[in-house]
Amino acid sequence: LHRILADRSVWLAMSRDKRPIDHHGDLLKGWPEQGALWAAAHGIASRHNGYEALNLTRIPRLMAVDLDDCLGEQGISEQAAEILSIVESYTEITPSRKGLRIYALAPHGTISERRPWGEVYLFTRRAVIATGEAFLCAPLARVSDEQVQMILRFGVALPPQEFSTLQKRGPIEA
């Protein structure tokens, strides 16, 4: 993921408490509409003991699926394994080393949803820390609307009409 997006202005530097920072290490006021190249974000993050993160408002089709507290001494949780089977795509270990983040290309939409097992983000005012530490070194998969809906419904006992966050925005180039 780092290699694919290194030369695109989609990166932010984040503090240790996961908030966007500027080149001085100060917290940014408001949400950054722009991004930086990876090298710039990496340099700032390194100087201030922070992280590099992807600004999801700058990557319209990149979906991030966070699987919280799913890694342990026994390996991956059964629930996380089931979600990974829905979307077999590039997956990283999160900074806590207790979770996973799946990255995939979704067809369209805007999602910012909390679930019992984690979160799902797509084209939203959110930054996700990209550790570069691969758990599943697979290509960045293209997922269907059906796969997105399966993930959103996973482990949640709500009727399908409750999941109305996907909004068509028309075709968006990767």
Side-chain angles (χ1 to χ4, degrees):
L1 195 62
H2 284 75
R3 189 179 65 239
I4 294 168
L5 296 172
D7 62 348
R8 294 184 61 189
S9 295
V10 297
W11 295 92
L12 295 172
M14 302 287 275
S15 65
R16 293 303 283 176
D17 62 353
K18 302 178 183 176
R19 295 169 42 191
I21 56 175
D22 66 15
H23 62 283
H24 298 295
D26 297 325
L27 296 177
L28 293 176
K29 292 177 176 56
W31 185 255
E33 296 300 327
Q34 300 300 315
L37 299 179
W38 176 82
H42 175 71
I44 295 167
S46 294
R47 282 195 307 278
H48 300 287
N49 195 29
Y51 303 106
E52 300 107 33
L54 292 165
N55 183 346
L56 293 180
T57 59
R58 304 285 299 160
I59 316 168
R61 295 182 54 220
L62 187 66
M63 179 174 70
V65 179
D66 283 357
L67 305 174
D68 297 338
D69 298 317
C70 66
L71 289 178
E73 290 183 21
Q74 303 301 318
I76 185 172
S77 72
E78 186 176 314
Q79 192 171 16
E82 288 182 50
I83 293 171
L84 276 167
S85 74
I86 296 170
V87 181
E88 293 183 23
S89 189
Y90 176 73
T91 304
E92 289 184 345
I93 297 172
T94 61
S96 71
R97 308 207 44 79
K98 296 178 184 176
L100 297 173
R101 181 168 296 121
I102 304 168
Y103 294 99
L105 294 174
H108 54 74
T110 301
I111 302 171
S112 184
E113 297 279 340
R114 178 89 178 117
R115 293 289 174 258
W117 43 262
E119 301 87 27
V120 181
Y121 303 114
L122 171 64
F123 196 56
T124 187
R125 291 184 101 171
R126 185 77 180 183
V128 292
I129 293 168
T131 63
E133 188 175 349
F135 177 82
L136 176 61
C137 198
L140 198 59
R142 294 180 185 273
V143 296
S144 67
D145 282 338
E146 182 179 340
Q147 287 171 298
V148 173
Q149 290 297 324
M150 286 173 67
I151 291 167
L152 289 171
R153 288 188 187 111
F154 188 86
V156 179
L158 294 174
Q161 62 267 25
E162 295 294 324
F163 300 101
S164 59
T165 57
L166 286 179
Q167 302 166 2
K168 290 199 179 207
R169 293 181 175 265
I172 300 174
E173 296 302 315

